[in-house]
Amino acid sequence: MNGAIYVRHVSVKDAAQVAALSAELGYPSTVKDTVTYIQAIDKSICDVAYVAVNGETVLGWIHVLYTIRLESGPFCEIGGLVVARNAHGKGIGRLLVDKAKKWAAERNIITLRVRSNVIREGAHAFYIKNGFKEFKQQKVFDYTIGTDNLSEKTAIENTKVSE
């Protein structure tokens, strides 16, 4: 790497490199889908995404979002953070996290949260080194909207009939 590494807002022109880094993280995505995601984040008042670059090379990215929970109030969360494998140990992750901390502080939010897969021990060490404290462990469950669930479909149809 020659020259300075700096952090800037992600752009659709970064989509191919962002998609490649997402795949390194274990979340493969097409460039087309990544463009769509970047455009949605750009339009959002609750989300921001930054890239760390050296020249035209994207070395890492971070997505930060503002969220609020009824039981615990507002906080910001790192939705994703990845640094290219060949750029680990160069302070890029810290630069991106510092940018996330600044974004949260600008919104008067005092908590920045991150969730990390239990198998990512290196990431856990990174976050602890950067001032994060483990808060809890949890399981994540997904439900795919629109899947055929006969009991729900039947219940909806029965509701319509009785109205």
Side-chain angles (χ1 to χ4, degrees):
M1 282 179 270
N2 296 329
I5 297 169
Y6 63 98
V7 176
R8 63 166 169 76
H9 280 92
V10 70
S11 164
V12 293
K13 72 178 181 153
D14 302 316
Q17 294 181 81
V18 167
L21 288 172
S22 297
E24 275 191 35
L25 190 61
Y27 298 93
S29 180
T30 66
V31 174
K32 181 181 176 185
D33 285 345
T34 302
V35 166
T36 300
Y37 306 152
I38 290 170
Q39 289 171 332
I41 288 169
D42 273 349
K43 291 177 187 170
S44 172
I45 61 169
C46 295
D47 296 80
V48 67
Y50 298 105
V51 288
V53 295
N54 178 245
E56 296 298 314
T57 303
V58 175
L59 302 172
W61 63 256
I62 192 167
H63 170 213
V64 187
L65 55 128
Y66 167 89
T67 189
I68 189 165
R69 299 290 188 266
L70 186 59
E71 75 282 359
S72 60
F75 60 93
C76 286
E77 183 166 357
I78 296 173
L81 168 64
V82 61
V83 174
R85 284 187 188 101
N86 65 352
H88 284 190
K90 299 184 182 338
I92 296 163
R94 182 185 42 78
L95 284 173
L96 290 165
V97 168
D98 287 348
K99 191 71 169 177
K101 290 175 182 176
K102 182 178 180 201
W103 190 80
E106 288 168 353
R107 282 145 189 79
N108 296 315
I109 302 298
I110 61 169
T111 301
L112 178 62
R113 182 169 294 157
V114 64
R115 300 168 201 272
S116 181
N117 193 318
V118 296
I119 64 172
R120 298 188 193 279
E121 293 178 6
H124 304 163
F126 167 81
Y127 290 119
I128 289 168
K129 180 179 175 184
N130 282 278
F132 290 80
K133 293 177 179 43
E134 185 174 342
F135 177 63
K136 70 177 180 179
Q137 294 185 13
Q138 65 186 99
K139 294 185 181 205
V140 177
F141 301 87
D142 281 348
Y143 177 83
T144 303
I145 306 299
T147 57
D148 288 331
N149 186 327
L150 295 179
S151 62
E152 280 186 36
K153 189 175 182 181
T154 303
I156 291 169
E157 288 171 354
N158 289 340
T159 303
K160 288 180 183 176
V161 170
S162 64
E163 288 178 343

